[in-house]
Amino acid sequence: MKPIPFDQSWPYEKLGEDIYIEECPFCGSTSVLTHMKEKHLQQAKDSVKTRLVMPCCHGRMMIIEADDDYFWTTEKLRQ
């Protein structure tokens, strides 16, 4: 399988049971608390496609994989 390009990744942080994104890739809002639950994060880590809707602007990212630091998505999120 071809590796996912880094421009299709976005960092996240997990604090307790909360999953934060430092800066929204769509609108630029900072310290965004997502609605993602632990079970959805685990699905993403298991390479199950998981949709994340950003609460700040309703932008959507389709996560195809996750590790302990990054979401790897189907679309280019970085310039």
Side-chain angles (χ1 to χ4, degrees), residues 46-58:
D46 292 337
S47 299
V48 174
K49 281 188 179 180
T50 306
R51 183 174 57 175
L52 176 61
V53 178
M54 299 302 294
C56 49
C57 64
H58 304 289

Side-chain angles (χ1 to χ4, degrees), residues 1-70:
M1 184 175 179
K2 185 176 164 186
I4 303 167
F6 190 70
D7 61 2
Q8 290 181 218
S9 68
W10 203 257
Y12 75 93
E13 290 194 34
K14 185 171 182 280
L15 300 171
E17 294 185 13
D18 296 330
I19 299 166
Y20 286 88
I21 292 188
E22 183 62 36
E23 182 180 349
C24 176
F26 305 109
C27 72
S29 294
T30 58
S31 299
V32 179
L33 173 61
T34 69
H35 299 299
M36 181 177 260
K37 304 291 184 207
E38 176 66 33
K39 70 178 184 176
H40 298 119
L41 176 60
Q42 189 56 51
Q43 286 176 337
K45 287 183 176 183
D46 292 337
S47 299
V48 174
K49 281 188 179 180
T50 306
R51 183 174 57 175
L52 176 61
V53 178
M54 299 302 294
C56 49
C57 64
H58 304 289
R60 295 181 182 105
M61 67 172 77
M62 182 60 72
I63 301 166
I64 53 177
E65 196 171 308
D67 57 28
D68 291 335
D69 300 309
Y70 289 93

